[in-house]
Amino acid sequence: MSGIVVHLPVVSGGDAVTLRLGPGERVRFGRGSSATPVELRIADEAVSRLAGEIRATDDHWQLSNLSTSHGYLVENPEGAGEYLRIPPRRLGAPIPFEFSRVVLPSRRDTPVFFQVFAPDHVYLDPHAAAGSWESRTLTAYSLDETATYFLVLVALCEPWLRDRSPVAVPTTPQVVERLRGHTACARLTARAVSAHIDYLADEKLRIGAPAPDAAGRADRRNGKREAVVGLALKFGIVREEHLVLLPPRSGPAEPDARG
C-alpha cells in the first residue's frame, strides 16, 4: 500500500468520507468554515474550525494537533489497549500503528473519531538469509498475523484448509459467527468484517475490482471475498498452521459454506 487511507464513518446523518493520500500529501480536518476550508469536515461544536492535519510519508503517517486547548487520542484497535496522546499544538507526531482510530474530544455521548489505515508495515522474509539491507528479500504481501483482518482472512480460508471442498466462501455473517469466540472479536460486527475484507482486497493484497457478470451487474462483495481467498491460498499467505489462530469450533462439524 502506498500512502494512507483516512475514513470518517457516518455521523449526524451525513455521508461517510474516505480519502486516499499518497506520500507527501496532507489533509486538514476540523469543523471548517467558508474562511477555513478543510478536506475532512467533522460537524461537532467541540471540534475546532481547523483541528489538525494528517501527512502521509513513505512508511508511516504524522498527526499535527492544531488545537490550542484539546489533546487527541490515537488508539490501536488491533492491539491490547495501546494509545498515544497528542497534546495541543504538537506538530508532526509520527504514528506507529498500522490501523488507528483518532478520537477527538466531544460533548456528545459517543466519541467523535475517524480511522486511518497506514502504509504497509514491511516485514523481512523469514526464510531470507542475513545480509545487508539492500540484499535482503522482503515479503510480497505484508500482513500482520496478530491483526483482526488476518483472523478474518483465516476464517474465510478455513473450509479449504480443512479439506471440506466448499462450493462458496463463507459469508460475512458466517465469519462473524466463526470468530465470536475469539477474545479480540467478541464485538466484531458484519460491517467491520466487510471493512476488513475491503482493506485486504484493496490495500494488503492489491486485488482489482471484480469484473461484472454477463448481465452487467457484479456481486462485488462475493467477488472480493472469492478473490481474496483465491490469492491467499494460491500464494500460501494463509496455511493450515494458521488455523490455530481461530477459536475452537463448538458442536458438530459445520456444514460447507454456501452463499
Side-chain angles (χ1 to χ4, degrees):
M1 171 179 161
S2 177
I4 66 174
V5 175
V6 182
H7 177 70
L8 178 67
V10 176
V11 289
S12 300
D15 296 328
V17 177
T18 300
L19 303 174
R20 297 177 182 271
L21 305 179
E25 294 183 331
R26 305 168 185 261
V27 62
R28 294 167 297 179
F29 62 89
R31 199 159 88 251
S33 69
S34 57
T36 311
V38 293
E39 293 77 26
L40 194 67
R41 186 173 181 273
I42 303 173
D44 186 281
E45 60 275 11
V47 176
S48 304
R49 295 288 184 187
L50 182 57
E53 182 180 83
I54 292 169
R55 179 178 182 273
T57 70
D58 288 331
D59 58 0
H60 68 284
W61 61 282
Q62 299 172 344
L63 176 63
S64 294
N65 182 352
L66 303 181
S67 170
T68 59
S69 56
H70 291 153
Y72 304 151
L73 291 181
V74 183
E75 301 174 338
N76 177 15
E78 301 288 351
E82 300 96 337
Y83 69 90
L84 299 174
R85 180 179 179 273
I86 311 301
R89 305 183 302 281
R90 173 69 161 93
L91 299 178
I95 308 301
F97 308 136
E98 187 174 17
F99 175 41
S100 303
R101 185 169 71 163
V102 180
V103 184
L104 309 180
S106 172
R107 296 174 63 90
R108 302 178 185 178
D109 294 334
T110 56
V112 172
F113 70 92
F114 58 86
Q115 299 161 322
V116 180
F117 296 88
D120 273 341
H121 287 190
V122 179
Y123 294 90
L124 183 68
D125 187 331
H127 305 294
S132 66
W133 173 255
E134 292 80 5
S135 66
R136 290 176 178 173
T137 302
L138 303 179
T139 55
Y141 302 104
S142 297
L143 277 71
D144 181 358
E145 295 184 4
T146 67
T148 302
Y149 67 74
F150 193 78
L151 283 173
V152 170
L153 182 57
V154 176
L156 288 171
C157 296
E158 182 184 25
W160 279 264
L161 295 173
R162 295 194 185 277
D163 294 324
R164 287 162 49 197
S165 301
V167 296
V169 297
T171 64
T172 297
Q174 286 172 333
V175 172
V176 172
E177 185 62 29
R178 181 67 184 93
L179 296 177
R180 192 178 304 279
H182 195 287
T183 55
C185 302
R187 300 175 62 182
L188 190 68
T189 64
R191 178 175 293 181
V193 168
S194 295
H196 284 300
I197 293 172
D198 287 341
Y199 182 52
L200 285 162
D202 299 340
E203 310 298 340
K204 304 302 290 184
L205 303 180
R206 304 181 295 279
I207 295 171
D213 58 21
R217 300 180 59 185
D219 184 343
R220 296 177 64 86
R221 182 66 61 196
N222 285 342
K224 230 172 216 186
R225 287 188 287 115
E226 292 169 358
V228 162
V229 169
L231 189 145
L233 294 174
K234 184 183 299 181
F235 287 98
I237 297 169
V238 177
R239 303 176 297 279
E240 188 174 352
E241 65 206 58
H242 290 123
L243 292 174
V244 298
L245 298 174
L246 299 176
R249 291 185 295 176
S250 58
E254 299 171 352
D256 288 349
R258 297 180 184 274

